[in-house]
Amino acid sequence: MANAKEIKRHIASIRDTRKITSAMYLIASTKLRKAKAELDATRPYFNAVRGEIKRIFRTAGKVQSRYFYPEDGEPAPHGTFACLVITADKGLAGAYNQNAIREAEKLLSDHPDTKLFVVGEYGRRYFEQHGIPVEHSFLYTAQNPTMQRAREIAAILLELFDLGRVEKIYVVYTDMKNGLSADARTTRLLPFHRAQFFSDTEEKAVSIPFEFTPSVGAVLDNVIAGYVSGFIYSALVDSFCCEQNARMRAMDSANRNAEKLLAELSAEYNRVRQTAITQEITEVTAGAKAQRNQQIKRQAEEVPNR
């Protein structure tokens, strides 16, 4: 059993660690609120873009676009895929990173001819250590998702898609369903199914036809580029929110475990301290008793000599 000094040192170490985990909890909470506010501020724009794509399909009749599956039942593309994997820059976030990487590995096992595009230092390091080739690694941090970075990622992926080097584009990110749970998911970004842009309820027909310049296809391609950038930005921010939420939960769990461990160590420290005090009292009592017995013995030896 450890002595009181060792237990006291252990208690001090746990308290120092608890200060760090508490600070990380507060930082993650602040970042989460800020990211949610930024995402909520940009969502109306991209909802409007989605509405315009619906309007194009509803008013222009049959529209042919390379970004959509064909209407006449042609076989779906089966060539090279591109996969954007969004992870964090560091751990201490529960199973957040492992869940995203597991989704990416599942896609690789189903379709080995997949090119990986990675955001986040954790994912870059993991694929490098496991010998999995990465087509492009975005070296900026995952801690500060911005629309400009989303446009840069979208431009690279769209260029490969437009050149025919990839037939499908997937995004592996973590979606926060609510404040308590988050799921890592694989979403096909391109090509779209036309049904994605049709509402369950039919809207009123437009009485005045639209004019598209230079053409319907050109307008649609331009709008799709903005929509893809918005989707990637949303995935980046959503993943960032999930990371901070996972880190908050991990730090909260660490704080609770620290409190429990401190309670156990405090009780053990009190027992050891009480045992040490009892032992000191026993030793003092025993020493006093021995001295008393020795004094009585000496007095008994001196009496016959008189």
Side-chain angles (χ1 to χ4, degrees):
M1 184 175 62
N3 56 37
K5 186 176 181 180
E6 292 175 348
I7 297 175
K8 194 172 182 179
R9 189 183 302 115
H10 195 184
I11 290 175
S13 176
I14 292 176
R15 285 175 176 169
D16 291 340
T17 304
R18 186 180 58 178
K19 291 179 182 178
I20 297 174
T21 55
S22 298
M24 292 182 66
Y25 177 90
L26 295 176
I27 293 172
S29 176
T30 302
K31 289 183 177 180
L32 176 62
R33 289 195 299 269
K34 181 180 178 182
K36 280 186 174 180
E38 291 177 354
L39 183 60
D40 292 340
T42 56
R43 268 180 175 160
Y45 168 76
F46 296 110
N47 289 336
V49 172
R50 185 181 181 89
E52 292 306 313
I53 296 174
K54 291 181 181 180
R55 191 185 302 273
I56 291 174
F57 278 111
R58 189 174 65 253
T59 60
K62 293 186 177 180
V63 180
Q64 298 298 325
S65 174
R66 62 184 179 278
Y67 297 127
F68 290 84
Y69 279 104
E71 289 183 304
D72 52 5
E74 292 182 13
H78 295 288
T80 302
F81 293 174
C83 179
L84 175 65
V85 185
I86 302 174
T87 63
D89 289 328
K90 56 186 177 181
L92 298 177
Y96 167 79
N97 289 299
Q98 289 78 7
N99 291 338
I101 289 173
R102 192 178 299 117
E103 284 293 315
E105 289 179 330
K106 187 186 302 181
L107 179 61
L108 287 172
S109 63
D110 294 339
H111 194 88
D113 190 13
T114 299
K115 297 181 179 181
L116 290 180
F117 298 79
V118 182
V119 174
E121 181 62 30
Y122 191 98
R124 291 193 291 267
R125 188 168 59 249
Y126 176 88
F127 291 121
E128 179 182 355
Q129 292 174 351
H130 289 76
I132 301 175
V134 175
E135 181 71 16
H136 188 93
S137 181
F138 300 97
L139 298 180
Y140 42 72
T141 177
Q143 295 295 310
N144 185 26
T146 63
M147 190 61 210
Q148 179 59 33
R149 292 176 177 176
R151 290 193 181 100
E152 293 173 1
I153 296 172
I156 293 174
L157 296 177
L158 285 173
E159 181 181 5
L160 293 175
F161 188 84
D162 292 339
L163 294 175
R165 295 179 183 176
V166 296
E167 299 294 330
K168 289 184 181 181
I169 299 177
Y170 287 89
V171 180
V172 174
Y173 69 104
T174 308
D175 179 39
M176 182 181 291
K177 297 190 298 185
N178 51 57
L180 299 176
S181 63
D183 290 334
R185 60 172 56 185
T186 302
T187 301
R188 188 189 69 254
L189 181 56
L190 289 176
F192 297 109
H193 277 302
R194 296 169 188 265
Q196 292 179 241
F197 295 93
F198 285 96
S199 304
D200 296 333
T201 58
E202 290 294 333
E203 300 180 25
K204 294 182 179 180
V206 180
S207 57
I208 301 176
F210 288 96
E211 293 184 3
F212 299 95
T213 303
S215 65
V216 176
V219 173
L220 184 60
D221 290 348
N222 186 59
V223 174
I224 288 296
Y227 181 80
V228 169
S229 300
F231 184 93
I232 292 176
Y233 175 69
S234 177
L236 288 171
V237 177
D238 208 4
S239 295
F240 181 69
C241 289
C242 291
E243 176 196 349
Q244 301 309 319
N245 184 62
R247 183 163 289 113
M248 286 174 58
R249 296 176 65 181
M251 294 303 102
D252 183 60
S253 178
N255 288 335
R256 290 199 301 269
N257 291 337
E259 292 292 343
K260 181 179 179 181
L261 189 56
L262 284 174
E264 295 175 354
L265 287 174
S266 297
E268 183 179 357
Y269 175 77
N270 291 333
R271 286 195 299 268
V272 171
R273 185 167 175 271
Q274 186 64 42
T275 301
I277 293 173
T278 302
Q279 184 177 357
E280 290 178 1
I281 293 175
T282 302
E283 290 174 355
V284 171
T285 303
K289 184 176 181 181
Q291 289 182 354
R292 191 181 308 110
N293 291 338
Q294 188 176 5
Q295 184 178 6
I296 293 174
K297 184 178 179 181
R298 284 201 305 268
Q299 291 176 353
E301 291 177 352
E302 291 175 357
V303 172
N305 295 333
R306 292 180 181 177

